[in-house]
Amino acid sequence: MKEVINIYRKQKINVDSFVKRLIDSLPKDYMTEAPNILKEYRYIQLMYGVNSEYKQITPIMFKKGSDSSRMGSDKSHYFMKLHLDEDKIYISNPYIHYKTGKASISVVHFVDSTYYIFDIDLILLLEELKLIEYNSFHDKVKRVIYFFGSTALALVSVALIGYGVFVFFLLMSSLATSDFLHDIFRSIISITLGLAIYDLAKQIFEHEVMYQSFHKSEDKQYKVLGKFLISIIIALSIETLMVVFKIALEDISNMISAFYLLIGTTIMLVGLGYFYKTVQEATPKEDD
């Protein structure tokens, strides 16, 4: 919603100009021609008429029918802050439509003592004007794929965390016959990887399934990748620590191998820091 509103605000003059030209081009007998208007202009969600006393005098016309149940209802609360321009047209601020749940704007045209209200789907309107790229079928397919993918990753993370906990309790029940350091670090690594994969699944679910994006945000992708890499580096650091301890206790002649592993982990950490620095410098700041 916030992203749609920001796009609308930046292009408000052009969008409002288009809407006014649209209203002016419609057949003047709005309600009689409502089925044709709704069919031709897919971004118009519904339309109805209100008289000068702010009473609804026509059915609400939808693409798939009409609703007469609210005829005669008082609409004065919608007109409290109404200010018509020189063309007798008013365009509201964006809002979430109570029937469709979509980002919308309302357009009011005053003609012959009657207020005609058009509720417009803002997403489809911006897509019509080529201000966003949106395809409902593609979006649904993408969401389904991301939903199953993120769910599978979440299940894998739960399995890893469960395995780590299982190894820990198994270790506690057999201290005398187990390699304590090896098993405890194996438990820690399994849980850490599980948390990293869960965090990745959560990020995918939140950004690709729950919330809709209308432009390619490299910053968002970098944040997801960065958080995942941080968890992986933590797991590698724990593994490096485990290797150092095992070599120190068993065969110190192999310490050079642990040193190389430590250098590799450090290089990854430095690389991640440089990665974040370049991303922050290259990403433009967006207006709230």
Side-chain angles (χ1 to χ4, degrees):
M1 176 63 177
K2 181 179 179 181
E3 187 178 353
V4 174
I5 291 175
N6 285 337
I7 295 173
Y8 173 75
R9 284 176 177 172
K10 292 176 182 178
Q11 300 291 335
K12 180 175 174 57
I13 295 176
N14 294 329
V15 175
D16 288 358
S17 176
F18 173 83
V19 170
K20 290 180 180 180
R21 291 198 304 270
L22 168 68
I23 297 299
D24 187 60
S25 67
L26 295 177
K28 298 309 176 185
D29 193 354
Y30 292 139
M31 302 315 299
T32 301
E33 296 293 331
N36 294 329
I37 293 173
L38 293 168
K39 182 178 179 180
E40 182 175 356
Y41 303 99
R42 63 192 184 104
Y43 39 83
I44 300 180
Q45 302 175 100
L46 57 86
M47 50 192 295
Y48 60 95
V50 174
N51 64 17
S52 58
E53 298 178 352
Y54 308 127
K55 302 292 184 180
Q56 183 176 325
I57 58 174
T58 71
I60 300 176
M61 303 299 294
F62 303 95
K63 295 184 185 300
K64 297 182 180 181
S66 62
D67 179 9
S68 303
S69 62
R70 301 185 67 83
M71 287 185 62
S73 60
D74 183 17
K75 300 290 185 179
S76 59
H77 53 288
Y78 290 129
F79 292 82
M80 294 177 62
K81 297 182 180 180
L82 182 72
H83 298 287
L84 299 173
D85 62 12
E86 63 276 6
D87 298 318
K88 296 184 178 181
I89 292 176
Y90 168 78
I91 301 176
S92 74
N93 292 321
Y95 63 93
I96 297 295
H97 200 278
Y98 76 101
K99 282 186 175 292
T100 64
K102 298 178 180 179
S104 306
I105 58 173
S106 289
V107 181
V108 180
H109 190 200
F110 186 64
V111 181
D112 298 331
S113 301
T114 301
Y115 296 94
Y116 292 98
I117 293 88
F118 304 83
D119 287 352
I120 296 179
D121 187 326
L122 189 55
I123 295 173
L124 293 180
L125 177 61
L126 294 177
E127 196 273 336
E128 177 73 17
L129 295 174
K130 310 302 180 185
L131 297 175
I132 61 174
E133 294 181 2
Y134 177 70
N135 181 285
S136 58
F137 177 75
H138 174 267
D139 184 69
K140 290 177 182 178
V141 172
K142 182 194 72 173
R143 285 174 184 247
V144 168
I145 292 173
Y146 274 119
F147 172 78
F148 284 108
S150 59
T151 301
L153 282 174
L155 293 175
V156 170
S157 70
V158 170
L160 283 169
I161 294 172
Y163 174 75
V165 174
F166 171 76
V167 170
F168 175 75
F169 281 108
L170 198 64
L171 174 64
M172 292 296 101
S173 63
S174 57
L175 286 175
T177 59
S178 64
D179 185 341
F180 182 82
L181 282 179
H182 179 272
D183 289 342
I184 196 67
F185 277 114
R186 184 171 60 166
S187 174
I188 293 172
I189 292 169
S190 179
I191 293 173
T192 304
L193 286 176
L195 291 174
I197 294 173
Y198 175 78
D199 189 63
L200 176 63
K202 179 175 72 70
Q203 293 287 327
I204 293 174
F205 187 82
E206 288 179 352
H207 289 94
E208 303 297 344
V209 180
M210 292 184 63
Y211 305 116
Q212 189 167 274
S213 179
F214 300 100
H215 68 269
K216 296 179 180 178
S217 175
E218 297 297 332
D219 179 62
K220 179 190 72 177
Q221 297 174 8
Y222 291 150
K223 286 179 179 178
V224 174
L225 177 61
K227 292 187 71 174
F228 181 69
L229 288 176
I230 287 173
S231 300
I232 295 300
I233 289 174
I234 291 173
L236 284 175
S237 300
I238 295 171
E239 180 72 21
T240 302
L241 186 61
M242 183 186 73
V243 170
V244 170
F245 284 159
K246 286 182 67 68
I247 291 175
L249 293 174
E250 295 176 2
D251 187 3
I252 198 170
S253 62
N254 292 323
M255 186 61 74
I256 189 66
S257 300
F259 175 74
Y260 289 146
L261 183 59
L262 180 62
I263 291 296
T265 305
T266 304
I267 291 173
M268 286 190 65
L269 183 60
V270 173
L272 181 63
Y274 180 76
F275 169 77
Y276 265 115
K277 181 176 181 295
T278 54
V279 168
Q280 290 177 353
E281 291 176 351
T283 302
K285 299 293 186 296
E286 293 185 357
D287 298 331
D288 292 332

